[in-house]
């Protein structure tokens, strides 16, 4: 589709680099395959992985096995017998993490090249940070104080913010930003029919 996002094919060299950059200390997903193990057998699995990832991008389908999350409750504070005092951590397969990184690189490139992100979006935006956000707020406050005006700030903290995102609304916004066709199908597949299970015996 014209002017919509296109997924550049995955190369062995780029995937090789991504695998090498994986942290060995990262916890494993439901398959119990660690980044360290992947690195040890990298030369044997690199070509099959390149084929599978490219097939996923070409068809717009995320394999069901890569949508399984192992949820580990991590104790925060307070009464340890209360479920609300635990923070759920979703652990995904390292194969899924690699696929996500590959798509994230392509999505970020598309958003940057087309100048789609709002200039004052400081989160998940290359070369932007929370420090820049604070500087911008302070600058605005000082500007109004110089004009003898009063400044008022309203700050919202959403509990479980990521859980409040409506997938249909998110996909609609992505479509408006020209993420369409097969790439749109890929993201729709990614957020659909996900499976998770909770384990309380494993350590995070």
């Amino acid at each position: 589709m014209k002017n919509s996002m296109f997924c550049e094919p995955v190369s062995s060299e780029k995937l090789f680099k991504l695998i090498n950059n994986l942290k060995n200390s990262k916890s494993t997903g439901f398959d119990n395959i660690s980044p360290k193990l992947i690195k040890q057998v990298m030369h044997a699995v690199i070509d099959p992985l390149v084929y599978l990832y490219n097939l996923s991008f070409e068809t717009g389908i995320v394999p069901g096995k890569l949508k399984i999350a192992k949820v580990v409750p991590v104790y925060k504070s307070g009464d340890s017998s209360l479920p609300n005092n635990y923070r759920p951590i979703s652990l995904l397969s390292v194969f899924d993490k690699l696929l996500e990184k590959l798509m994230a690189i392509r999505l970020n490139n598309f958003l940057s090249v087309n100048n789609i992100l709002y200039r004052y979006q400081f989160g998940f935006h290359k070369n932007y940070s929370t420090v820049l956000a604070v500087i911008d707020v302070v600058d605005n406050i000082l500007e109004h104080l110089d004009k003898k005006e009063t400044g008022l700030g309203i700050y919202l903290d959403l509990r479980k913010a990521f859980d409040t995102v409506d997938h249909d609304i998110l996909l609609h916004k992505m479509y408006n930003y020209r993420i369409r066709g097969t790439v749109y199908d890929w993201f729709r597949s990614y957020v659909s029919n996900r499976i998770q299970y909770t384990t309380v015996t494993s350590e995070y």
Side-chain angles (χ1 to χ4, degrees), residues 73-103:
V74 178
Y75 174 68
K76 294 186 297 182
S77 60
D79 188 345
S80 60
S81 65
L82 297 177
N84 286 338
N85 291 332
Y86 289 81
R87 178 166 57 97
I89 302 294
S90 294
L91 303 177
L92 298 167
S93 165
V94 65
F95 299 113
D96 176 66
K97 292 176 184 176
L98 288 169
L99 181 61
E100 288 179 3
K101 287 179 183 292
L102 290 166
M103 179 56 84

Side-chain angles (χ1 to χ4, degrees), residues 137 141 151-158:
V137 170
I141 292 173
L152 175 66
I154 300 175
Y155 302 90
L156 302 176
D157 183 13
L158 292 177

Side-chain angles (χ1 to χ4, degrees), residues 7-69:
C7 261
E8 177 187 342
V10 180
S11 68
S12 299
E13 293 76 18
K14 294 290 179 64
L15 183 57
F16 193 91
K17 184 178 180 180
L18 276 181
I19 293 175
N20 270 327
N21 288 336
L22 290 172
K23 294 181 179 179
N24 291 338
S25 59
K26 286 293 184 181
S27 299
T28 61
F30 79 98
D31 54 13
N32 291 321
I33 298 177
S34 67
K36 184 177 181 180
L37 177 59
I38 299 260
K39 291 178 182 180
Q40 291 173 345
V41 299
M42 185 158 39
H43 292 285
V45 300
I46 195 81
D47 287 338
L49 286 177
V50 167
Y51 172 78
L52 289 172
Y53 291 157
N54 278 326
L55 186 63
S56 176
F57 288 162
E58 290 169 7
T59 60
I61 297 173
V62 178
K65 289 292 185 181
L66 298 188
K67 295 191 285 186
I68 301 175

Side-chain angles (χ1 to χ4, degrees), residues 48-181:
L49 286 177
V50 167
Y51 172 78
L52 289 172
Y53 291 157
N54 278 326
L55 186 63
S56 176
F57 288 162
E58 290 169 7
T59 60
I61 297 173
V62 178
K65 289 292 185 181
L66 298 188
K67 295 191 285 186
I68 301 175
K70 177 173 69 175
V71 180
V72 179
V74 178
Y75 174 68
K76 294 186 297 182
S77 60
D79 188 345
S80 60
S81 65
L82 297 177
N84 286 338
N85 291 332
Y86 289 81
R87 178 166 57 97
I89 302 294
S90 294
L91 303 177
L92 298 167
S93 165
V94 65
F95 299 113
D96 176 66
K97 292 176 184 176
L98 288 169
L99 181 61
E100 288 179 3
K101 287 179 183 292
L102 290 166
M103 179 56 84
I105 291 170
R106 286 153 178 75
L107 178 61
N108 283 326
N109 287 341
F110 174 77
L111 295 175
S112 298
V113 168
N114 292 279
N115 198 28
I116 290 175
L117 292 179
Y118 179 52
R119 59 175 296 196
Y120 290 112
Q121 177 177 320
F122 295 97
F124 306 100
H125 196 174
K126 188 177 181 180
N127 298 323
Y128 283 70
S129 67
T130 52
V131 174
L132 288 176
V134 171
I135 291 173
D136 183 68
V137 170
V138 172
D139 184 61
N140 279 326
I141 292 173
L142 293 176
E143 181 182 343
H144 288 287
L145 289 177
D146 288 340
K147 296 177 182 178
K148 307 300 181 183
E149 297 174 348
T150 301
L152 175 66
I154 300 175
Y155 302 90
L156 302 176
D157 183 13
L158 292 177
R159 185 178 182 184
K160 298 181 180 179
F162 286 101
D163 294 338
T164 65
V165 176
D166 184 284
H167 291 162
D168 290 333
I169 295 175
L170 175 63
L171 289 170
H172 180 71
K173 285 181 175 289
M174 295 179 75
Y175 187 87
N176 285 340
Y177 289 136
R178 304 202 309 274
I179 298 168
R180 302 169 184 171

